[in-house]
Amino acid sequence: MSKTQIVAAPGKQEIVMTRDFDAPRELVYRVLTDPELRPQWWGPSYLTTTVETMDVREGGTWRFIQRDPEGNEFAFRGVYHVVDAPSQVVETFEFEGLPERHVVLETANLVEHDGVTTLTQTSVFQSVADRDGMVASGMEKGALESMERAAELLASLHVNS
Amino acid sequence: MSKTQIVAAPGKQEIVMTRDFDAPRELVYRVLTDPELRPQWWGPSYLTTTVETMDVREGGTWRFIQRDPEGNEFAFRGVYHVVDAPSQVVETFEFEGLPERHVVLETANLVEHDGVTTLTQTSVFQSVADRDGMVASGMEKGALESMERAAELLASLHVNS
């Protein structure tokens, strides 16, 4: 099973992340879109994630809050644009902790071959500077850990399903 | 008064349009966000535009239908992400006539200096190919005409306000 690949090509305003999961597409889609499952894999494990809103339909909004052991809070939000189960979700993404508003357009595509589902997530930024700022923030480490946690969750769900 | 500038730099996945309007920012914002005014300037004048939905709030959706003299219909839709009157609107944009779904993230910023309001609209695409497809579709001509019509509408509103 290949691991997560994250590509942020110089001068581009996107980050492309790819990951294969040893699970059927419907199950991967459920892990991505189920408010009960999201806190079990999203973000680094030392943070707890609370789903405040997760209304997975076109025009629906989402808002998640992460808390660290010291009680600091980090809030994220977005709006769903495309909800096409089990193959695609297009949504906006925003970290509320920035002094100005910066919105990211995220496209998650799911394709299944021979029981393996490939997630390709493309994050497009309002500028190259925004993209570079996200890379500099250390998002890669958090994203890699999220994908590992999602794979572990999928393995347990797959066995039990 | 400078005219509309449209920049689509090679290899980038964005289009940046800039236009100065001889009108206060509040009025330009109103022209952009008022469902009654939108059909009066949006798109080429040989098409009639009908606003089916235009719910200008975060998570609100919009859907416009354009009809040509032969009765052909072209539908567009999106979701509002940021609604920050009178300085910024961030929304998604989609043309429903494409065989696959392609979503654009559009950011409109309004800045006023000495009674002149500058609109900067940045359209970010899911890929360079998507951006190039939009340019090839002839969007520039329609965008330039929309900006001319908006300027004319603003002039009439400004005189009457």
Side-chain angles (χ1 to χ4, degrees):
Chain A
M1 188 62 54
S2 69
K3 295 295 185 182
T4 305
Q5 294 188 323
I6 298 178
V7 176
K12 300 274 290 179
Q13 62 205 84
E14 68 180 6
I15 298 172
V16 181
M17 182 175 73
T18 311
R19 169 81 191 210
D20 287 345
F21 294 106
D22 187 14
R25 182 162 73 161
E26 283 71 16
L27 198 58
V28 179
Y29 185 85
R30 188 183 144 210
V31 162
L32 294 181
T33 57
D34 185 329
E36 300 290 324
L37 298 179
R38 176 65 68 138
Q40 298 181 39
W41 65 269
W42 196 70
S45 59
Y46 80 97
L47 299 173
T48 59
T49 295
T50 304
V51 171
E52 186 185 270
T53 311
M54 191 170 168
D55 185 13
V56 188
R57 59 178 179 84
E58 292 191 10
T61 59
W62 63 266
R63 187 168 191 264
F64 307 154
I65 298 166
Q66 289 185 325
R67 289 182 182 83
D68 70 13
E70 287 76 43
N72 299 306
E73 295 190 353
F74 311 94
F76 304 83
R77 73 160 80 174
V79 181
Y80 294 102
H81 182 104
V82 178
V83 177
D84 186 11
S87 60
Q88 186 177 68
V89 177
V90 181
E91 65 192 69
T92 53
F93 170 97
E94 184 177 359
F95 171 45
E96 294 182 11
L98 299 174
E100 294 186 354
R101 301 194 68 169
H102 297 269
V103 182
V104 185
L105 181 67
E106 297 199 331
T107 303
N109 283 313
L110 296 174
V111 177
E112 181 177 342
H113 286 295
D114 299 327
V116 174
T117 298
T118 302
L119 165 66
T120 304
Q121 182 175 293
T122 305
S123 302
V124 181
F125 295 75
Q126 287 165 302
S127 67
V128 175
D130 278 11
R131 197 284 308 265
D132 290 346
M134 178 70 94
V135 171
S137 78
M139 60 70 65
E140 184 169 349
K141 189 163 178 291
L144 291 173
E145 187 171 344
S146 292
M147 290 297 100
E148 288 303 309
R149 297 178 72 198
E152 289 165 19
L153 176 60
L154 279 162
S156 71
L157 292 170
H158 201 185
V159 167
N160 296 324
S161 67
Chain B
M1 189 62 54
S2 68
K3 295 295 183 181
T4 306
Q5 295 187 323
I6 298 179
V7 176
K12 299 275 289 181
Q13 61 206 83
E14 67 180 6
I15 297 172
V16 181
M17 181 174 75
T18 312
R19 169 82 190 209
D20 288 345
F21 295 105
D22 187 15
R25 182 162 74 161
E26 283 71 15
L27 199 58
V28 179
Y29 185 85
R30 187 183 145 209
V31 162
L32 293 181
T33 57
D34 186 328
E36 300 290 324
L37 298 179
R38 177 64 68 140
Q40 297 181 40
W41 66 269
W42 197 68
S45 60
Y46 81 98
L47 299 173
T48 59
T49 296
T50 304
V51 171
E52 186 184 271
T53 311
M54 191 169 168
D55 185 14
V56 188
R57 58 178 180 82
E58 292 192 10
T61 59
W62 63 266
R63 187 169 191 263
F64 307 154
I65 299 166
Q66 289 185 324
R67 290 182 181 83
D68 70 13
E70 287 76 42
N72 299 304
E73 294 189 355
F74 311 93
F76 304 83
R77 72 159 82 173
V79 181
Y80 294 102
H81 183 103
V82 177
V83 177
D84 186 11
S87 59
Q88 185 177 68
V89 177
V90 181
E91 65 193 68
T92 53
F93 170 98
E94 184 177 359
F95 171 45
E96 294 182 10
L98 300 174
E100 294 185 351
R101 301 194 68 169
H102 296 269
V103 182
V104 185
L105 181 67
E106 297 198 332
T107 303
N109 284 313
L110 296 174
V111 177
E112 181 178 341
H113 286 295
D114 299 326
V116 174
T117 299
T118 302
L119 165 66
T120 304
Q121 182 174 293
T122 305
S123 303
V124 181
F125 295 76
Q126 287 165 302
S127 66
V128 176
D130 278 11
R131 198 283 307 264
D132 290 346
M134 178 69 95
V135 172
S137 78
M139 60 69 65
E140 185 168 347
K141 189 163 177 292
L144 291 174
E145 188 171 344
S146 292
M147 290 297 99
E148 288 304 307
R149 297 178 72 197
E152 288 165 20
L153 176 60
L154 279 162
S156 71
L157 292 171
H158 201 185
V159 167
N160 296 323
S161 66

